[in-house]
Amino acid sequence: MGDEEFDVVVVGAGVAGLAAARLLQIQGRRVVVLEARDRIGGRVVTERSGGRITDLGASWIHGIDDAPLYDAVCGFGMRTAEFSVGSFQPYSRPTAYYGPDGRRLSDDEVAAFVDDLRVVDEMITDTIASVASGTTYGQVVEAVLAAIDWESRRVERVREFLRHRTEEQYGVWIDDLDAHGLDDDETVGDEVVFPDGYDQLVTHLADGTDIRLGHVVTGVDWDPSGATVSLADKEFHAPTVVVTVPVGVLRSGSISFTPALPEPVSCALNRLTMNNFEKIFLRFPRKFWADDVYAVRRQGPAGVWWHSFYDLTRLHGEPTLLTFAAGPCAQAIRGWSDADVSASVMSSLREIYGDAVDPESIVVTHWRDDPFARGSYAYMMPGSTTADHDVLATPIGGVLHLAGEATWTDDPATVTAALLSGHRAAQNIAGDMDIAALWS
């Protein structure tokens, strides 16, 4: 197989890579996208089996107001369904809270708990603004809680919620996340999901693009004159390369860069790492939980692992709960069989629902074990700063550009970040262009 020449080589056919490639093609560049997997989409992947649609990776748009990603979805004519609780909000749509004793909290008890969270969140925001990088989110939380004169059970309910929020937002234990790692935790407008599958987005973005599947990149050699992208049996040459693989792949060394990524890019990369976060879908023959809630949350020791369940029934008409294995839980169950995972989850559910029936099916993701992801998304280790995301996207030598969810400061770990980072990479190469060109 001979070598090939292009204007731009894009490594990775996720949202970032496809957005960059599509925009560059619109500008008249000859672009090829090299994708290691046998499919496009990266961490946007929809399983279609037995008439069921399951988004194994990304699921939500977290806030649709003034959101380019939502504009793209609408521009492509994708069907959405409102589901505003996916960003672990305590006071968004109706949520059934169960206390440590397994009793459902009354509306007044929930309101009091939510008010406690508001008070603490305001204090946390003020405290984080004054602490240096290197302080953990857990340290800030403990400092704030120590300053509040509440009885211990009240404090503990808030503490566990903040631990769960850290896990569910970033798939990491609260003491392993930099204090500034949740600075982007804001949802503006409704959240939506996709009854027909999120993968429609990548299908639209990929239309008309030269994408080579099963092309595992092993090296990128670059200098001011251009770059050579190497596979086991082939090379691609271009003046410019856009690399959109996840932080976990960049850090693994499976792609060698010659010369190595320079500072400040390399330093920013070393302060970010991939999380442990898996999705678990349980489908049941009948509903045994309340019809009037979006989610069920469990407080107390029984909720250390399985604390939040999201009712997806209205998306497809089949009784379905989604829960997450995050942080320490995801690490502990790695390698478990689906049956063992199901038994563990159901043990927690049966403490609050005595009539809970066994699921008819269970789907468990394994992003940590995916060699082309090595986790679900990146988070800020202690010592990182929010600026590290944008620093990671610093153009290198006018030749090499990194893009992807981890390279966008305002809303990392999202499809929005991936889309906007692809737009930025294209602009860095070809000049200003309207992102709406993607769907216009």
Side-chain angles (χ1 to χ4, degrees):
M1 300 174 67
D3 297 351
E4 295 194 46
E5 302 275 351
F6 290 88
D7 295 327
V8 184
V9 174
V10 176
V11 181
V15 168
L18 293 174
R22 186 179 179 92
L23 287 167
L24 290 167
Q25 285 184 159
I26 291 170
Q27 294 296 310
R29 308 295 174 104
R30 290 185 64 245
V31 183
V32 66
V33 180
L34 307 180
E35 169 55 49
R37 295 183 174 92
D38 60 0
R39 62 168 179 82
I40 62 173
R43 286 165 284 169
V44 175
V45 55
T46 304
E47 178 183 85
R48 289 177 169 81
S49 177
R52 292 168 171 156
I53 295 173
T54 308
D55 278 323
L56 302 178
S59 298
W60 271 272
I61 296 180
H62 296 295
I64 62 175
D65 290 359
D66 193 25
L69 177 57
Y70 186 64
D71 291 341
V73 164
C74 293
F76 288 135
M78 294 170 57
R79 189 164 65 102
T80 62
E82 182 273 327
F83 203 105
S84 300
V85 73
S87 54
F88 207 73
Q89 303 162 69
Y91 37 75
S92 178
R93 298 303 189 264
T95 300
Y97 281 90
Y98 288 80
D101 60 358
R103 177 185 61 85
R104 182 170 176 176
L105 304 187
S106 68
D107 290 345
D108 288 344
E109 288 172 316
V110 172
F113 171 62
V114 168
D115 284 342
D116 284 350
L117 290 173
R118 286 195 181 102
V119 169
V120 172
D121 268 337
E122 289 179 5
M123 296 175 67
I124 287 174
T125 298
D126 292 341
T127 303
I128 287 176
S130 66
V131 302
S133 172
T135 305
T136 72
Y137 198 78
Q139 288 172 323
V140 169
V141 166
E142 291 306 316
V144 167
L145 294 180
I148 297 179
D149 186 21
W150 291 347
E151 58 94 11
S152 60
R153 285 179 296 180
R154 188 176 173 189
V155 170
E156 186 57 28
R157 297 290 76 76
V158 173
R159 175 184 286 114
E160 69 186 12
F161 181 90
L162 296 173
R163 287 175 175 173
H164 295 333
R165 183 171 67 188
T166 305
E167 291 169 338
E168 193 156 306
Q169 291 298 87
Y170 274 96
V172 60
W173 178 242
I174 195 168
D175 292 322
D176 294 329
L177 181 71
D178 190 90
H180 296 272
L182 282 172
D183 282 359
D184 64 291
D185 186 31
E186 182 180 6
T187 299
V188 182
D190 285 344
E191 297 175 281
V192 298
V193 293
F194 302 91
D196 303 321
Y198 215 155
D199 65 346
Q200 293 178 101
L201 175 66
V202 295
T203 298
H204 286 295
L205 289 175
D207 186 36
T209 303
D210 183 356
I211 302 171
R212 313 290 178 90
L213 300 179
H215 279 52
V216 181
V217 171
T218 58
V220 178
D221 291 10
W222 61 275
D223 61 37
S225 66
T228 297
V229 179
S230 301
L231 286 68
D233 59 352
K234 193 173 185 179
E235 293 182 343
F236 291 79
H237 306 281
T240 310
V241 175
V242 181
V243 178
T244 70
V245 300
V247 159
V249 176
L250 289 174
R251 289 184 55 124
S252 73
S254 60
I255 299 176
S256 63
F257 292 88
T258 307
L261 297 176
E263 295 185 14
V265 174
S266 60
C267 294
L269 177 61
N270 288 333
R271 291 188 290 265
L272 301 170
T273 194
M274 295 297 275
N275 65 3
N276 292 277
F277 186 82
E278 307 296 349
K279 302 172 77 170
I280 300 166
F281 298 86
L282 302 111
R283 294 182 170 93
F284 297 92
R286 64 174 176 82
K287 286 186 70 169
F288 49 82
W289 58 94
D291 282 327
D292 60 344
V293 298
Y294 279 56
V296 175
R297 292 220 167 102
R298 183 72 197 272
Q299 297 176 328
V304 170
W305 277 11
W306 315 115
H307 50 78
S308 299
F309 302 88
Y310 300 91
D311 184 3
L312 305 184
T313 305
R314 60 198 181 89
L315 294 184
H316 303 294
E318 182 178 20
T320 305
L321 291 176
L322 165 66
T323 189
F324 300 106
C329 172
Q331 291 173 300
I333 71 168
R334 193 175 176 187
W336 283 22
S337 69
D338 287 357
D340 287 341
V341 174
S342 179
S344 181
V345 174
M346 292 308 300
S347 176
S348 177
L349 279 171
R350 286 195 171 98
E351 289 191 1
I352 54 177
Y353 298 111
D355 60 344
V357 296
D358 286 332
E360 291 182 326
S361 69
I362 180 172
V363 175
V364 182
T365 64
H366 301 280
W367 288 105
R368 188 67 183 181
D369 296 320
D370 183 333
F372 305 122
R374 299 176 183 261
S376 290
Y377 42 89
Y379 69 89
M380 294 168 52
M381 293 186 290
S384 179
T385 70
T386 52
D388 282 336
H389 297 290
D390 282 338
V391 169
L392 195 60
T394 304
I396 300 171
V399 172
L400 183 58
H401 303 260
L402 302 184
E405 52 87 7
T407 71
W408 193 262
T409 292
D410 290 340
D411 201 11
T414 65
V415 178
T416 294
L419 184 80
L420 295 177
S421 75
H423 175 229
R424 176 177 55 191
Q427 289 195 124
N428 286 339
I429 294 167
D432 288 346
M433 61 186 79
D434 189 347
I435 193 172
L438 284 171
W439 59 86
S440 298

